[in-house]
Amino acid sequence: MSPRRPLGPRRPNVLMTAGSRRVALVHAFQRALAARGGGRVVVTDVNPMSPSVFVTDRAYRVPLSSDPRYIGEILRIADHERCGLIVPTIDDELTDFARAAEAFLVAGVRVAVSPPTTTAVCRDKLATCRTLTAAGIAAAASWLPHEVPEASTFPLFVKPRCGRGGVGAVPIRDRRDLEFFVDYVEDAIVQEYLTGPEFTIDVLCDWAGVPLAIVPRERVVIRAGVSDRGRTVNDPALIALAQSCASVVPFVGPVNIQCRVVQGRPTVFEINPRFSGGIPLTIAAGVDVPGMLIDLTAGAQLRPIIGAFKENLWMTNYETSVFVEEGRARLAPLGPTDVAEVA
């Protein structure tokens, strides 16, 4: 194995995978790099018309993350663009990046991803809740379809075991609904129906798994699985919940924990070891997560700033558009690889 290349100033650029609609996150990394002397944000995507392609500094079209060439193509782009940090953004690719993190590090590239055991547990919503419950952390009671107790109280909730974005998640009113939807929803699990305010807790951990920042956000209005309106909440119980989760499931980089407060008790129903869709609110509240990741990549030792954010800051989203003249998107070969540059 070749020696590790030095990280830090000589490789200042950031590569973000699956840029898609994550325009705000691209801008946040651009601002963080500009504040630290400059650098480029490079985005990869399978679709050359994704909005992020037209707001980033450089973009490349890549295969689907399920393609066996995918990780190698990302590494080649990172090397070509002198990227010292890679930020995976979708659940499907996290475990592959986690398994390859050491190989990337040997090449001088940090990947902001949790260990493979963590990404695998968090990808599986049944395993997530059972792991937390076994450690004494409040989590939604969860079953495989054949395990649902006969005496269960309705409503319940059916969702894909490894889904994302709220796709396929269905409230269940009675046993007739249950019998239909556990068959209709692919690889379904059943969870207790949690009632109470819903929160996402944004967490950033350093390379050793130490939590550096924890910002709870109430999800007041949710659209397509993403917070449309929300506010920051400096709640000690929610912060303590995140710390407890981090003590049981090793995290690295960005993580978001989803829970509801049921009769005063925060109860987890999902953990995603990646940036949340509502991360712009956390950044606006004074926690520059992109900048902290860049500093960590450069070798900085950061002190925790848990609880240090603007409380009760509201976010209300709206749709905007990127307008592209025909022919703007271009595909050019990159040397010996078949990755295509799209902007």
Side-chain angles (χ1 to χ4, degrees):
M1 184 175 289
S2 59
R4 292 179 180 174
R5 299 179 188 175
L7 300 171
R10 285 196 280 175
R11 299 177 67 84
N13 301 324
V14 175
L15 188 154
M16 190 172 79
T17 68
S20 189
R21 294 164 55 91
R22 298 173 179 85
V23 171
L25 189 56
V26 170
H27 286 326
F29 272 105
Q30 288 171 327
R31 290 193 301 269
L33 285 168
R36 289 159 176 78
R40 289 194 302 275
V41 176
V42 179
V43 158
T44 64
D45 208 292
V46 298
N47 188 337
M49 291 301 294
S50 288
S52 63
V53 164
F54 299 97
V55 301
T56 193
D57 302 302
R58 195 71 60 82
Y60 292 88
R61 189 169 66 183
V62 292
L64 291 169
S65 60
S66 57
D67 190 303
R69 300 171 298 163
Y70 180 70
I71 294 295
E73 299 290 75
I74 297 295
L75 180 54
R76 278 188 275 199
I77 295 169
D79 184 67
H80 179 76
E81 291 288 346
R82 298 185 59 76
C83 296
L85 172 65
I86 292 177
V87 182
T89 68
I90 55 173
D91 300 327
D92 307 24
E93 63 185 10
L94 294 178
T95 295
D96 288 337
F97 272 111
R99 290 170 177 160
E102 181 64 26
F104 277 95
L105 190 58
V106 168
V109 185
R110 281 280 192 186
V111 182
V113 67
S114 293
T117 51
T118 296
T119 59
V121 165
C122 294
R123 182 82 171 111
D124 183 335
K125 294 175 176 56
L126 181 69
T128 299
C129 291
R130 289 186 172 179
T131 297
L132 296 179
T133 300
I137 298 171
S142 305
W143 308 274
L144 293 171
H146 68 275
E147 297 172 335
V148 179
E150 283 293 329
S152 293
T153 301
F154 292 91
L156 294 170
F157 214 77
V158 167
K159 62 174 65 174
R161 186 170 179 174
C162 298
R164 59 188 173 98
V167 176
V170 185
I172 301 300
R173 299 167 298 176
D174 51 35
R175 190 156 294 278
R176 181 180 176 185
D177 278 357
L178 179 64
E179 291 172 355
F180 174 81
F181 281 105
V182 295
D183 184 55
Y184 179 80
V185 175
E186 186 176 357
D187 195 19
I189 64 165
V190 183
Q191 287 188 333
E192 66 173 312
Y193 192 94
L194 301 177
T195 57
E198 183 174 346
F199 295 84
T200 291
I201 311 172
D202 286 323
V203 182
L204 178 69
C205 293
D206 66 15
W207 309 126
V210 176
L212 298 176
I214 299 174
V215 181
R217 298 181 286 103
E218 185 178 4
R219 307 179 83 198
V220 179
V221 177
I222 301 167
R223 184 161 57 102
V226 176
S227 182
D228 194 55
R229 292 177 194 157
R231 66 185 183 103
T232 55
V233 180
N234 202 334
D235 185 327
L238 292 170
I239 291 173
L241 175 68
Q243 291 171 318
S244 296
C245 290
S247 71
V248 171
V249 185
F251 299 137
V252 169
V255 179
N256 69 86
I257 299 166
Q258 293 185 261
C259 66
R260 285 186 181 271
V261 176
V262 182
Q263 297 181 347
R265 187 187 192 194
T267 304
V268 178
F269 60 86
E270 188 171 313
I271 297 177
N272 303 297
R274 53 164 172 77
F275 276 112
S276 64
I279 193 64
L281 175 53
T282 287
I283 297 169
V287 180
D288 181 13
V289 182
M292 294 172 75
L293 271 177
I294 292 166
D295 291 342
L296 288 170
T297 302
Q301 300 294 315
L302 302 184
R303 298 180 64 181
I305 55 169
I306 293 168
F309 60 89
K310 186 179 294 185
E311 185 176 12
N312 205 30
L313 178 66
W314 280 79
M315 174 180 70
T316 179
N317 284 330
Y318 68 99
E319 287 288 346
T320 190
S321 303
V322 175
F323 299 97
V324 183
E325 294 182 5
E326 186 176 2
R328 165 78 193 279
R330 60 187 178 86
L331 302 178
L334 174 63
T337 174
D338 58 0
V339 174
E341 184 181 342
V342 297

PDB file of all heavy atoms in Angstrom, residues 43-65:
ATOM      1  N   VAL A  43     -19.138  18.682  -7.831  1.00  0.00           N
ATOM      2  CA  VAL A  43     -20.353  17.885  -7.643  1.00  0.00           C
ATOM      3  C   VAL A  43     -20.369  16.751  -8.649  1.00  0.00           C
ATOM      4  O   VAL A  43     -19.962  16.926  -9.801  1.00  0.00           O
ATOM      5  CB  VAL A  43     -21.606  18.778  -7.815  1.00  0.00           C
ATOM      6  CG1 VAL A  43     -22.837  17.953  -8.155  1.00  0.00           C
ATOM      7  CG2 VAL A  43     -21.861  19.586  -6.546  1.00  0.00           C
ATOM      8  N   THR A  44     -20.824  15.576  -8.215  1.00  0.00           N
ATOM      9  CA  THR A  44     -21.094  14.484  -9.149  1.00  0.00           C
ATOM     10  C   THR A  44     -22.584  14.192  -9.148  1.00  0.00           C
ATOM     11  O   THR A  44     -23.284  14.425  -8.153  1.00  0.00           O
ATOM     12  CB  THR A  44     -20.323  13.197  -8.779  1.00  0.00           C
ATOM     13  OG1 THR A  44     -20.774  12.718  -7.499  1.00  0.00           O
ATOM     14  CG2 THR A  44     -18.824  13.458  -8.737  1.00  0.00           C
ATOM     15  N   ASP A  45     -23.057  13.687 -10.289  1.00  0.00           N
ATOM     16  CA  ASP A  45     -24.472  13.364 -10.405  1.00  0.00           C
ATOM     17  C   ASP A  45     -24.648  12.440 -11.603  1.00  0.00           C
ATOM     18  O   ASP A  45     -23.784  12.370 -12.478  1.00  0.00           O
ATOM     19  CB  ASP A  45     -25.323  14.620 -10.571  1.00  0.00           C
ATOM     20  CG  ASP A  45     -26.740  14.440 -10.030  1.00  0.00           C
ATOM     21  OD1 ASP A  45     -27.498  13.652 -10.628  1.00  0.00           O
ATOM     22  OD2 ASP A  45     -27.067  15.062  -9.014  1.00  0.00           O
ATOM     23  N   VAL A  46     -25.774  11.739 -11.643  1.00  0.00           N
ATOM     24  CA  VAL A  46     -26.081  10.896 -12.795  1.00  0.00           C
ATOM     25  C   VAL A  46     -26.850  11.674 -13.853  1.00  0.00           C
ATOM     26  O   VAL A  46     -26.974  11.225 -14.993  1.00  0.00           O
ATOM     27  CB  VAL A  46     -26.896   9.649 -12.385  1.00  0.00           C
ATOM     28  CG1 VAL A  46     -26.108   8.786 -11.429  1.00  0.00           C
ATOM     29  CG2 VAL A  46     -28.235  10.044 -11.755  1.00  0.00           C
ATOM     30  N   ASN A  47     -27.347  12.856 -13.475  1.00  0.00           N
ATOM     31  CA  ASN A  47     -28.187  13.636 -14.383  1.00  0.00           C
ATOM     32  C   ASN A  47     -27.545  14.987 -14.657  1.00  0.00           C
ATOM     33  O   ASN A  47     -27.421  15.816 -13.751  1.00  0.00           O
ATOM     34  CB  ASN A  47     -29.573  13.831 -13.755  1.00  0.00           C
ATOM     35  CG  ASN A  47     -30.561  14.456 -14.722  1.00  0.00           C
ATOM     36  OD1 ASN A  47     -30.179  15.118 -15.689  1.00  0.00           O
ATOM     37  ND2 ASN A  47     -31.844  14.260 -14.458  1.00  0.00           N
ATOM     38  N   PRO A  48     -27.146  15.266 -15.896  1.00  0.00           N
ATOM     39  CA  PRO A  48     -26.484  16.534 -16.197  1.00  0.00           C
ATOM     40  C   PRO A  48     -27.389  17.760 -16.076  1.00  0.00           C
ATOM     41  O   PRO A  48     -26.908  18.878 -16.158  1.00  0.00           O
ATOM     42  CB  PRO A  48     -26.013  16.349 -17.643  1.00  0.00           C
ATOM     43  CG  PRO A  48     -26.895  15.302 -18.216  1.00  0.00           C
ATOM     44  CD  PRO A  48     -27.230  14.384 -17.086  1.00  0.00           C
ATOM     45  N   MET A  49     -28.698  17.557 -15.869  1.00  0.00           N
ATOM     46  CA  MET A  49     -29.606  18.681 -15.705  1.00  0.00           C
ATOM     47  C   MET A  49     -29.986  18.917 -14.241  1.00  0.00           C
ATOM     48  O   MET A  49     -30.872  19.717 -13.950  1.00  0.00           O
ATOM     49  CB  MET A  49     -30.875  18.463 -16.544  1.00  0.00           C
ATOM     50  CG  MET A  49     -30.638  18.548 -18.041  1.00  0.00           C
ATOM     51  SD  MET A  49     -29.957  20.153 -18.551  1.00  0.00           S
ATOM     52  CE  MET A  49     -31.335  21.237 -18.182  1.00  0.00           C
ATOM     53  N   SER A  50     -29.335  18.256 -13.303  1.00  0.00           N
ATOM     54  CA  SER A  50     -29.607  18.514 -11.894  1.00  0.00           C
ATOM     55  C   SER A  50     -29.243  19.960 -11.554  1.00  0.00           C
ATOM     56  O   SER A  50     -28.226  20.473 -12.028  1.00  0.00           O
ATOM     57  CB  SER A  50     -28.797  17.554 -11.016  1.00  0.00           C
ATOM     58  OG  SER A  50     -29.330  16.254 -11.095  1.00  0.00           O
ATOM     59  N   PRO A  51     -30.036  20.645 -10.724  1.00  0.00           N
ATOM     60  CA  PRO A  51     -29.772  22.054 -10.431  1.00  0.00           C
ATOM     61  C   PRO A  51     -28.376  22.318  -9.880  1.00  0.00           C
ATOM     62  O   PRO A  51     -27.752  23.328 -10.226  1.00  0.00           O
ATOM     63  CB  PRO A  51     -30.852  22.407  -9.398  1.00  0.00           C
ATOM     64  CG  PRO A  51     -31.937  21.433  -9.629  1.00  0.00           C
ATOM     65  CD  PRO A  51     -31.284  20.176 -10.096  1.00  0.00           C
ATOM     66  N   SER A  52     -27.877  21.437  -9.028  1.00  0.00           N
ATOM     67  CA  SER A  52     -26.572  21.668  -8.408  1.00  0.00           C
ATOM     68  C   SER A  52     -25.451  21.744  -9.434  1.00  0.00           C
ATOM     69  O   SER A  52     -24.430  22.407  -9.212  1.00  0.00           O
ATOM     70  CB  SER A  52     -26.267  20.574  -7.392  1.00  0.00           C
ATOM     71  OG  SER A  52     -26.182  19.314  -8.040  1.00  0.00           O
ATOM     72  N   VAL A  53     -25.632  21.081 -10.572  1.00  0.00           N
ATOM     73  CA  VAL A  53     -24.612  21.080 -11.625  1.00  0.00           C
ATOM     74  C   VAL A  53     -24.316  22.498 -12.101  1.00  0.00           C
ATOM     75  O   VAL A  53     -23.185  22.829 -12.456  1.00  0.00           O
ATOM     76  CB  VAL A  53     -25.087  20.193 -12.806  1.00  0.00           C
ATOM     77  CG1 VAL A  53     -24.273  20.444 -14.065  1.00  0.00           C
ATOM     78  CG2 VAL A  53     -25.011  18.718 -12.408  1.00  0.00           C
ATOM     79  N   PHE A  54     -25.326  23.367 -12.064  1.00  0.00           N
ATOM     80  CA  PHE A  54     -25.190  24.704 -12.642  1.00  0.00           C
ATOM     81  C   PHE A  54     -24.843  25.775 -11.621  1.00  0.00           C
ATOM     82  O   PHE A  54     -24.686  26.938 -11.979  1.00  0.00           O
ATOM     83  CB  PHE A  54     -26.473  25.060 -13.399  1.00  0.00           C
ATOM     84  CG  PHE A  54     -26.740  24.103 -14.522  1.00  0.00           C
ATOM     85  CD1 PHE A  54     -27.609  23.040 -14.349  1.00  0.00           C
ATOM     86  CD2 PHE A  54     -26.084  24.226 -15.733  1.00  0.00           C
ATOM     87  CE1 PHE A  54     -27.838  22.131 -15.375  1.00  0.00           C
ATOM     88  CE2 PHE A  54     -26.304  23.324 -16.766  1.00  0.00           C
ATOM     89  CZ  PHE A  54     -27.182  22.273 -16.584  1.00  0.00           C
ATOM     90  N   VAL A  55     -24.705  25.392 -10.357  1.00  0.00           N
ATOM     91  CA  VAL A  55     -24.309  26.370  -9.346  1.00  0.00           C
ATOM     92  C   VAL A  55     -22.956  26.033  -8.723  1.00  0.00           C
ATOM     93  O   VAL A  55     -22.369  26.864  -8.027  1.00  0.00           O
ATOM     94  CB  VAL A  55     -25.368  26.491  -8.224  1.00  0.00           C
ATOM     95  CG1 VAL A  55     -26.706  26.906  -8.806  1.00  0.00           C
ATOM     96  CG2 VAL A  55     -25.499  25.206  -7.434  1.00  0.00           C
ATOM     97  N   THR A  56     -22.465  24.830  -8.977  1.00  0.00           N
ATOM     98  CA  THR A  56     -21.187  24.421  -8.404  1.00  0.00           C
ATOM     99  C   THR A  56     -20.041  24.913  -9.271  1.00  0.00           C
ATOM    100  O   THR A  56     -20.246  25.494 -10.338  1.00  0.00           O
ATOM    101  CB  THR A  56     -21.150  22.895  -8.236  1.00  0.00           C
ATOM    102  OG1 THR A  56     -20.042  22.529  -7.413  1.00  0.00           O
ATOM    103  CG2 THR A  56     -21.028  22.196  -9.586  1.00  0.00           C
ATOM    104  N   ASP A  57     -18.810  24.681  -8.807  1.00  0.00           N
ATOM    105  CA  ASP A  57     -17.627  25.137  -9.543  1.00  0.00           C
ATOM    106  C   ASP A  57     -17.222  24.172 -10.651  1.00  0.00           C
ATOM    107  O   ASP A  57     -16.680  24.582 -11.669  1.00  0.00           O
ATOM    108  CB  ASP A  57     -16.457  25.326  -8.568  1.00  0.00           C
ATOM    109  CG  ASP A  57     -16.808  26.315  -7.471  1.00  0.00           C
ATOM    110  OD1 ASP A  57     -17.156  27.461  -7.808  1.00  0.00           O
ATOM    111  OD2 ASP A  57     -16.748  25.942  -6.283  1.00  0.00           O
ATOM    112  N   ARG A  58     -17.487  22.892 -10.449  1.00  0.00           N
ATOM    113  CA  ARG A  58     -17.178  21.873 -11.448  1.00  0.00           C
ATOM    114  C   ARG A  58     -18.098  20.694 -11.194  1.00  0.00           C
ATOM    115  O   ARG A  58     -18.395  20.390 -10.035  1.00  0.00           O
ATOM    116  CB  ARG A  58     -15.711  21.433 -11.314  1.00  0.00           C
ATOM    117  CG  ARG A  58     -15.155  20.654 -12.500  1.00  0.00           C
ATOM    118  CD  ARG A  58     -14.954  21.539 -13.719  1.00  0.00           C
ATOM    119  NE  ARG A  58     -14.020  22.638 -13.466  1.00  0.00           N
ATOM    120  CZ  ARG A  58     -12.696  22.511 -13.510  1.00  0.00           C
ATOM    121  NH1 ARG A  58     -12.135  21.353 -13.767  1.00  0.00           N
ATOM    122  NH2 ARG A  58     -11.930  23.576 -13.295  1.00  0.00           N
ATOM    123  N   ALA A  59     -18.564  20.036 -12.243  1.00  0.00           N
ATOM    124  CA  ALA A  59     -19.466  18.903 -12.054  1.00  0.00           C
ATOM    125  C   ALA A  59     -19.132  17.785 -13.027  1.00  0.00           C
ATOM    126  O   ALA A  59     -18.665  18.031 -14.146  1.00  0.00           O
ATOM    127  CB  ALA A  59     -20.918  19.345 -12.233  1.00  0.00           C
ATOM    128  N   TYR A  60     -19.384  16.556 -12.601  1.00  0.00           N
ATOM    129  CA  TYR A  60     -19.106  15.373 -13.413  1.00  0.00           C
ATOM    130  C   TYR A  60     -20.287  14.418 -13.362  1.00  0.00           C
ATOM    131  O   TYR A  60     -20.883  14.210 -12.303  1.00  0.00           O
ATOM    132  CB  TYR A  60     -17.859  14.643 -12.906  1.00  0.00           C
ATOM    133  CG  TYR A  60     -16.589  15.413 -13.111  1.00  0.00           C
ATOM    134  CD1 TYR A  60     -16.141  16.317 -12.154  1.00  0.00           C
ATOM    135  CD2 TYR A  60     -15.831  15.256 -14.273  1.00  0.00           C
ATOM    136  CE1 TYR A  60     -14.979  17.041 -12.340  1.00  0.00           C
ATOM    137  CE2 TYR A  60     -14.659  15.980 -14.460  1.00  0.00           C
ATOM    138  CZ  TYR A  60     -14.249  16.865 -13.496  1.00  0.00           C
ATOM    139  OH  TYR A  60     -13.095  17.586 -13.688  1.00  0.00           O
ATOM    140  N   ARG A  61     -20.573  13.840 -14.518  1.00  0.00           N
ATOM    141  CA  ARG A  61     -21.579  12.787 -14.572  1.00  0.00           C
ATOM    142  C   ARG A  61     -20.908  11.462 -14.264  1.00  0.00           C
ATOM    143  O   ARG A  61     -19.827  11.171 -14.788  1.00  0.00           O
ATOM    144  CB  ARG A  61     -22.256  12.729 -15.947  1.00  0.00           C
ATOM    145  CG  ARG A  61     -23.464  11.787 -15.954  1.00  0.00           C
ATOM    146  CD  ARG A  61     -24.279  11.925 -17.216  1.00  0.00           C
ATOM    147  NE  ARG A  61     -23.566  11.497 -18.400  1.00  0.00           N
ATOM    148  CZ  ARG A  61     -24.063  11.587 -19.637  1.00  0.00           C
ATOM    149  NH1 ARG A  61     -25.255  12.118 -19.828  1.00  0.00           N
ATOM    150  NH2 ARG A  61     -23.377  11.174 -20.666  1.00  0.00           N
ATOM    151  N   VAL A  62     -21.537  10.665 -13.401  1.00  0.00           N
ATOM    152  CA  VAL A  62     -20.977   9.393 -12.968  1.00  0.00           C
ATOM    153  C   VAL A  62     -22.029   8.302 -13.098  1.00  0.00           C
ATOM    154  O   VAL A  62     -23.217   8.591 -13.264  1.00  0.00           O
ATOM    155  CB  VAL A  62     -20.500   9.482 -11.503  1.00  0.00           C
ATOM    156  CG1 VAL A  62     -19.296  10.399 -11.368  1.00  0.00           C
ATOM    157  CG2 VAL A  62     -21.631   9.930 -10.583  1.00  0.00           C
ATOM    158  N   PRO A  63     -21.619   7.044 -13.001  1.00  0.00           N
ATOM    159  CA  PRO A  63     -22.607   5.951 -13.007  1.00  0.00           C
ATOM    160  C   PRO A  63     -23.443   5.989 -11.737  1.00  0.00           C
ATOM    161  O   PRO A  63     -23.137   6.707 -10.774  1.00  0.00           O
ATOM    162  CB  PRO A  63     -21.736   4.690 -13.046  1.00  0.00           C
ATOM    163  CG  PRO A  63     -20.359   5.131 -13.377  1.00  0.00           C
ATOM    164  CD  PRO A  63     -20.233   6.546 -12.927  1.00  0.00           C
ATOM    165  N   LEU A  64     -24.499   5.195 -11.706  1.00  0.00           N
ATOM    166  CA  LEU A  64     -25.269   5.010 -10.493  1.00  0.00           C
ATOM    167  C   LEU A  64     -24.370   4.457  -9.393  1.00  0.00           C
ATOM    168  O   LEU A  64     -23.393   3.743  -9.666  1.00  0.00           O
ATOM    169  CB  LEU A  64     -26.435   4.060 -10.736  1.00  0.00           C
ATOM    170  CG  LEU A  64     -27.568   4.570 -11.642  1.00  0.00           C
ATOM    171  CD1 LEU A  64     -28.510   3.429 -12.005  1.00  0.00           C
ATOM    172  CD2 LEU A  64     -28.335   5.695 -10.951  1.00  0.00           C
ATOM    173  N   SER A  65     -24.714   4.740  -8.157  1.00  0.00           N
ATOM    174  CA  SER A  65     -23.885   4.262  -7.046  1.00  0.00           C
ATOM    175  C   SER A  65     -23.865   2.741  -6.958  1.00  0.00           C
ATOM    176  O   SER A  65     -22.968   2.166  -6.334  1.00  0.00           O
ATOM    177  CB  SER A  65     -24.384   4.851  -5.724  1.00  0.00           C
ATOM    178  OG  SER A  65     -25.721   4.460  -5.470  1.00  0.00           O
TER     179      SER A  65
END
